[in-house]
Amino acid sequence: MSDLALVGLLVAVLAIIAAAVAAIRLLRKARLRRRALRRADPAKDYAVRTDWSRSTGTVNYSSFVYFDVDRDGSYGVADRPMAGIMVRLFDGQGGFVASSRTNNGGYANFAMSTSALTAAIRVPAAYRFSVSVPPGWRSPSANDTQSTEFRLAPGSPTGLVSPDLPRPVGLAPVRSLAGRLAAGGTATLSVMAQGQVMESLTLAPACAFRFELADDADTVVITGGGLDRRLVLSPYPTDLGLLSPRAPADEAAARTIGFDDVTGRGFRKIPCGHAGLDWRNLNAMANDHTKHSEGYVNGNVSGDHVAYTSSGYPAEFSREMPFAFHSVLLSAAWLKAEGETALIESWSGDRLVASDEMVLSALTPLHYAPMLAEITRVRLSTKHHWQMVLDDLMLAG
């Protein structure tokens, strides 16, 4: 083909494109004119709909996932929406259709419409919703996979309906208890439920321990070697850190700092003097202040606010007069930081009393309970400089 022929072909293609663009503009203008004419008639301002044959809208069809705090399989007042959980949609033949992660409200949304070509649910058929249960978790509601049938419904917002929405899916991590015993130490650890000993084990010197807890376990008691302490277990995995012979903090005398009283708005740097402490590089934030922030949602265990290490830099809380550091709930701020390592260092004056490393998750808080007395400064940092989320800090004194 000659150069002249190529030029002619290019001109023809450009002419066709220009004509198509012009036609689209004319159609759009005509549609806007028709809409303007309809709106000019006051009689149509509140007209009763008579034509129910068309459906042109798009609606989010949602699967709701929650943290089943009490592990009873039912969404109740103690439970919380979970962010960042993957939900997959399959057709009736098992073919993959789409996936979505739950948002800050716990909803995984799938667009449903008979008119929108990009909608995940477009035709009447059977569909299956499958919640991806994280490793080491289970579903007390036992409904992580649910199927439903969609049928045509002319006049409805989308043209499709199902008998009901998927039932809420509850997830809960398998609880565990971890810690370390110093060299030369001896102690006995007992796990209890309603005042009865479920199991006891002798802790080996200079060794770390970690074991799963039964669902009904509510208290752990450690005796011997000057390490005597008692901890009421939380719904989350627990790490005691390095067991110290220093007099442990009395849980009954501890106060909880939940960060809701730092600000009534979405965000504020925690000021020195709050709760009688000095604060460095810690901010208070509402759990829904930042979109797609899984750890800020999942790490929030009470109220609506959490604290976090500003920009992932090391942070501290301190006071000249010693206090007892009982416990705190810690999370990674983002799923991209799942498995981040936290380092918590507790000081008494210039002396380092405890230094504990632990792995963080953006899906569940870790209940870190060192139960240390006579502390003046606690330093929090992460190995890869991701933000660490704190909630329900318990101190005494």
Side-chain angles (χ1 to χ4, degrees):
M1 183 180 293
S2 67
D3 292 344
L4 184 61
L6 287 173
V7 170
L9 179 61
L10 179 59
V11 169
V13 170
L14 292 175
I16 293 172
I17 293 174
V21 170
I24 291 172
R25 288 179 176 174
L26 288 173
L27 289 172
R28 183 175 298 169
K29 288 182 179 180
R31 184 169 65 251
L32 292 175
R33 283 197 300 270
R34 289 194 301 271
R35 182 181 299 173
L37 288 173
R38 288 196 301 269
R39 291 179 176 176
D41 184 0
K44 296 183 178 180
D45 288 349
Y46 311 104
V48 175
R49 181 170 176 173
T50 57
D51 181 5
W52 295 91
S53 63
R54 299 176 67 245
S55 297
T56 59
T58 300
V59 168
N60 280 331
Y61 192 89
S62 304
S63 176
F64 178 73
V65 183
Y66 64 95
F67 194 119
D68 197 348
V69 176
D70 53 14
R71 291 168 166 76
D72 66 350
S74 177
Y75 181 57
V77 294
D79 304 321
R80 304 189 313 276
M82 283 200 70
I85 296 299
M86 179 66 76
V87 182
R88 292 181 173 85
L89 175 67
F90 299 89
D91 61 27
Q93 289 70 47
F96 174 76
V97 176
S99 65
S100 175
R101 287 193 185 272
T102 54
N103 56 26
N104 286 7
Y107 289 98
N109 294 320
F110 298 89
M112 178 174 68
S113 175
T114 53
S115 59
L117 296 178
T118 57
I121 304 172
R122 295 186 58 240
V123 297
Y127 290 88
R128 175 166 53 91
F129 297 83
S130 179
V131 173
S132 180
V133 180
W137 289 58
R138 63 185 182 87
S139 174
S141 57
N143 61 344
D144 48 293
T145 297
Q146 300 180 59
S147 297
T148 190
E149 189 86 22
F150 290 83
R151 63 175 177 81
L152 288 173
S156 66
T158 68
L160 291 169
V161 294
S162 66
D164 199 354
L165 287 169
R167 291 189 298 114
V169 177
L171 300 179
V174 175
R175 290 191 305 165
S176 61
L177 180 68
R180 292 178 296 138
L181 191 62
T186 57
T188 299
L189 185 151
S190 299
V191 178
M192 307 183 70
Q194 297 182 348
Q196 302 297 315
V197 176
M198 300 179 66
E199 60 176 324
S200 293
L201 62 148
T202 301
L203 301 179
C207 287
F209 60 88
R210 185 184 184 281
F211 57 90
E212 292 185 1
L213 294 166
D215 282 349
D216 54 349
D218 54 30
T219 308
V220 60
V221 176
I222 297 177
T223 57
L227 301 173
D228 292 11
R229 65 197 63 205
R230 182 186 187 91
L231 177 69
V232 175
L233 294 168
S234 74
Y236 316 104
T238 299
D239 195 318
L240 303 175
L242 178 64
L243 298 177
S244 169
R246 296 172 64 87
D250 183 5
E251 185 170 356
R255 60 192 171 104
T256 300
I257 303 172
F259 308 106
D260 289 282
D261 53 351
V262 175
T263 178
R265 306 185 68 178
F267 174 87
R268 185 187 180 190
K269 183 178 180 65
I270 302 178
C272 288
H274 174 69
L277 299 168
D278 290 331
W279 303 84
R280 186 170 75 87
N281 291 347
L282 281 162
N283 301 326
M285 186 175 73
N287 61 17
D288 59 355
H289 185 71
T290 303
K291 290 183 178 181
H292 311 301
S293 50
E294 303 89 1
Y296 296 112
V297 175
N298 300 329
N300 180 207
V301 300
S302 65
D304 297 314
H305 290 73
V306 294
Y308 72 94
T309 55
S310 184
S311 299
Y313 279 82
E316 296 181 355
F317 58 89
S318 61
R319 192 177 71 184
E320 288 188 9
M321 181 183 295
F323 56 87
F325 178 22
H326 181 274
S327 60
V328 66
L329 289 160
L330 303 172
S331 310
W334 311 90
L335 268 179
K336 291 181 179 179
E338 186 73 10
E340 171 67 294
T341 300
L343 173 63
I344 313 299
E345 299 168 292
S346 299
W347 299 75
S348 181
D350 295 330
R351 184 165 65 91
L352 180 63
V353 173
S355 178
D356 293 316
E357 286 191 353
M358 59 213 71
V359 176
L360 301 181
S361 171
L363 298 174
T364 179
L366 174 70
H367 188 198
Y368 173 55
M371 306 176 71
L372 298 170
E374 299 296 315
I375 299 301
T376 57
R377 178 166 61 99
V378 176
R379 186 176 190 269
L380 311 104
S381 60
T382 52
K383 183 176 182 180
H384 303 96
H385 301 281
W386 286 87
Q387 293 93 331
M388 185 192 321
V389 178
L390 296 74
D391 204 0
D392 280 11
L393 170 63
M394 293 186 67
L395 306 178

